[in-house]
Structures are given as C-alpha cells and as structure tokens.
Amino acid sequence: KLIAASFWLLVWIIAYQRVGKPLLIASPAQTLTALAQIVAAPASWRAIGWSLVRMLSAFVIGVVGGCAFAALTSSIDWADTLLRPALTALRATPVASFIILALVWMSSGTVPVFAASIMAMPIVWANVTQGIASVNRELLEVAYVYEFGKLRTIWNIILPSISGTFIAACGTSIGLCWKAMIAAEVLGTPSGAIGTQLYNSKIYLETDALFAWTLVVILLSNLLERAFAILSARLGKNR
C-alpha cells in the first residue's frame, strides 16, 4: 500500500511539474495547505456534518423503502408486475437526471436526500427480493406444519435467509448514496454542504481547495464504508 501510494504521489508531482499551472493542477503541498485550512475552519466542519446527516438520512430512507418494496413485490403478484419496471428503470437512469428534475420540484436542501435515496432504493430492493426468492421452501413448510405464525416465520426463517444479501446491498449502496448526495449538492448548492464548497472552489478558481475538498470526500467515503463493514461484521458474529 505504501509503494502504491508513493507511486501515485509521484505521478501527481510529475503531472503538476509538467503542466506548470496551479490553476489546472494543484501540487500536493498546496492541497495539504488547503486541507489544513479546511480542518481549521468551523464552517467546514458544519458543512461536513450537514452532508453526513443528509447522506445517512437518504441511506435510511433508501434501505427502508427498498425493503418495503421487496416485501410487497415478493408477496403480491400484481404489485410485482406494476412496480418492477419502475424500480428497474430507476437503476438504469443516471443520477443527474433525478437531480435536475428534483431541483424543479424541491428545495436545494431536500434534493440531495431525494437523489441519494433513489440510488440506494433499487439496489436494496433487488438484493432483498433475490434473498426472499432463495428462502428454503422446506423450512417454510416446516414452519407451516408447526404453526409458527407469520411473525415467527419471518423472524426465524426469512430474515436470517436474506441477511447476507441485505448486508451486501447496504454495503454497495452506501458508497453510491454518498457519491449521489455530493453530486446533488454540487448542482443544488444548499447552504452548509461539501458539494457547495466544491462548487465554490470551482467558481472562484481555487484549485487547491477543490483538490482538498475532493480529498475530504474520498476520505469520508472510505470511512463510511469501513465503519459499515466493521458494524456488519460485528452483527454477523452476534447472529
């Protein structure tokens, strides 16, 4: 990892020296200086905090909505026929289209939550639907024979069967949710947002700040994914 990091740092330095224009490419030193200024500014932490709140809200909405749609389409045939084309279309539609449309309908602060949740929902729906379809039918028959009831059957058979696909869906969607949320913030520029800081850096030609905020986005994305991986591993041990 150290060798790989050193290699790409060297590529960055060479690119900066070759271009020779800080307006186009900021050097690592300039980027670190801008990053230090970001860390020292209270407004930056407020922007990071609000972006995290929006992202987590969108993630929860996407997961809950995806699970609800999966339960509905898996248990009712007409619901599957009606909703599957729409959910499949959501997976194929570029997030920029949702953001632009949402900017017409909603406030700039709501758009990031909407766009990010739309990205997570179809992924969770597809994986949970697949998990429900793979539930062992013999176990369901045993539960019926012994009169487990619906709640006990769901808790003891269905939920353990779909937990693997559910966790995989959440792990995939959390990264996409974060990227979609940042993109929506860049286009909508709500107050107190990382995306707004990226947009302002571009408008005012502050390339070092643009690189620094991009580094913040990457670091937070890795932190979120690692935190979820640790949480899911602990939950897996407790099952």
Side-chain angles (χ1 to χ4, degrees):
K1 290 182 179 180
L2 183 61
I3 293 173
S6 300
F7 171 78
W8 288 112
L9 181 61
L10 181 62
V11 170
W12 186 359
I13 294 171
I14 292 173
Y16 169 74
Q17 292 176 344
R18 289 285 185 180
V19 173
K21 295 181 180 180
L23 187 63
L24 298 179
I25 298 180
S27 69
Q30 292 169 341
T31 302
L32 288 177
T33 300
L35 183 61
Q37 293 173 350
I38 290 171
V39 172
S44 300
W45 289 103
R46 284 195 294 270
I48 291 170
W50 277 113
S51 291
L52 288 173
V53 168
R54 291 188 185 99
M55 181 269 164
L56 292 174
S57 300
F59 179 71
V60 171
I61 292 171
V63 169
V64 172
C67 290
F69 281 124
L72 191 63
T73 56
S74 298
S75 58
I76 304 175
D77 291 338
W78 65 261
D80 181 66
T81 303
L82 184 65
L83 296 175
R84 182 175 291 272
L87 291 167
T88 304
L90 287 180
R91 297 181 64 183
T93 305
V95 65
S97 300
F98 291 116
I99 296 171
I100 293 170
L101 287 172
L103 285 171
V104 178
W105 304 329
M106 306 175 183
S107 64
S108 60
T110 308
V111 170
V113 177
F114 171 78
S117 62
I118 286 295
M119 290 299 295
M121 194 178 300
I123 296 173
V124 175
W125 164 76
N127 280 45
V128 173
T129 299
Q130 181 182 359
I132 293 174
S134 63
V135 173
N136 191 322
R137 300 300 169 185
E138 294 181 356
L139 290 177
L140 293 178
E141 292 177 2
V142 170
Y144 177 76
V145 170
Y146 285 93
E147 299 181 349
F148 273 24
K150 288 185 177 181
L151 291 178
R152 192 178 174 189
T153 301
I154 291 172
W155 183 258
N156 290 287
I157 297 176
I158 295 178
L159 290 182
S161 299
I162 67 174
S163 60
T165 55
F166 172 74
I167 291 173
C170 291
T172 301
S173 61
I174 195 168
L176 293 175
C177 199
W178 175 250
K179 294 173 186 176
M181 195 271 308
I182 294 295
E185 288 182 345
V186 171
L187 292 176
T189 61
S191 60
I194 294 176
T196 302
Q197 298 297 328
L198 286 167
Y199 180 80
N200 290 338
S201 300
K202 177 254 185 185
I203 289 296
Y204 296 113
L205 302 178
E206 297 172 345
T207 308
D208 54 347
L210 181 61
F211 274 52
W213 276 110
T214 303
L215 186 59
V216 169
V217 171
I218 294 171
L219 291 174
L220 287 175
S221 177
N222 289 331
L223 180 63
L224 288 169
E225 291 178 357
R226 287 179 179 273
F228 180 79
I230 293 172
L231 178 61
S232 60
R234 288 183 178 179
L235 291 175
K237 289 180 181 180
N238 294 331
R239 281 203 309 270

